[in-house]
Amino acid sequence: KKIKKIVKKKEFIFHYYEKKLKLLPQIDFLNYVDEIKKPVFWFTTIKCKNSRKLSKYLETKNIQTRRLFYPLNQQPCYKYNKEILKKKCDFKVSKSLYNDTLSLPSSFNLSIKELEYICKCIKSFYENRY
């Protein structure tokens, strides 16, 4: 009964972040929206400059973030998988995404005030450092 309301709020959160942060040159949004396929917006994930430093900074402001999942080739259950090992790839794209992305708070319970605070802190990080 609640799923439509939850998905709608998650989409709102994504678009709120996008609207408030899109002018920062250090950030790109990963959710691609087109007319045929509609994302769920479960997380709002950004590709950003200095993601680890940003995450630590936000933590000092009581804002939790998450990194993306480990790339498959780095996950313990696949790390020594013969099929992965024999590919002899450098997995450059998956490593880059893992290292340069951050999932922002996306809880259904986030208020506008909390979203404003998160965006303000992200802007402050980049304006004062980079």
Side-chain angles (χ1 to χ4, degrees):
K1 293 181 180 181
K2 298 178 189 178
I3 191 71
K4 286 183 182 179
K5 187 177 180 181
I6 292 170
V7 170
K8 191 173 183 174
K9 176 74 183 273
K10 296 281 199 167
E11 185 173 359
F12 170 82
I13 291 168
F14 170 81
H15 289 297
Y16 187 91
Y17 281 131
E18 186 179 47
K19 180 180 177 185
K20 297 292 182 179
L21 301 173
K22 69 181 177 184
L23 295 178
L24 290 174
Q26 301 90 341
I27 292 178
D28 288 315
F29 286 83
L30 296 185
N31 291 38
Y32 174 74
V33 181
D34 71 20
E35 295 172 10
I36 299 169
K37 301 171 217 116
K38 188 171 181 174
V40 179
F41 298 104
W42 204 251
F43 288 109
T44 295
T45 303
I46 57 173
K47 187 170 190 292
C48 57
K49 186 173 183 177
N50 297 300
S51 62
R52 290 184 190 185
K53 287 181 182 177
L54 173 60
S55 180
K56 286 179 184 176
Y57 173 78
L58 292 175
E59 194 175 313
T60 68
K61 305 292 183 187
N62 294 317
I63 301 169
Q64 284 186 324
T65 59
R66 295 183 129 173
R67 297 183 68 193
L68 282 181
F69 298 107
Y70 283 117
L72 280 178
N73 69 300
Q74 291 181 6
Q75 290 186 17
C77 58
Y78 294 109
K79 199 171 188 173
Y80 301 107
N81 179 285
K82 287 185 254 177
E83 294 301 314
I84 289 175
L85 291 172
K86 81 177 175 188
K87 291 208 183 298
K88 297 184 182 179
C89 295
D90 61 7
F91 298 97
K92 193 169 32 176
V93 173
S94 58
K95 285 179 187 175
S96 171
L97 282 172
Y98 177 70
N99 289 324
D100 300 335
T101 55
L102 209 54
S103 291
L104 300 176
S106 302
S107 169
F108 173 78
N109 297 320
L110 280 172
S111 68
I112 296 287
K113 189 175 180 179
E114 290 169 318
L115 286 166
E116 285 175 3
Y117 175 70
I118 294 163
C119 291
K120 179 182 162 200
C121 290
I122 292 170
K123 287 177 181 179
S124 175
F125 174 80
Y126 285 115
E127 288 169 356
N128 296 318
R129 287 165 184 75
Y130 303 100

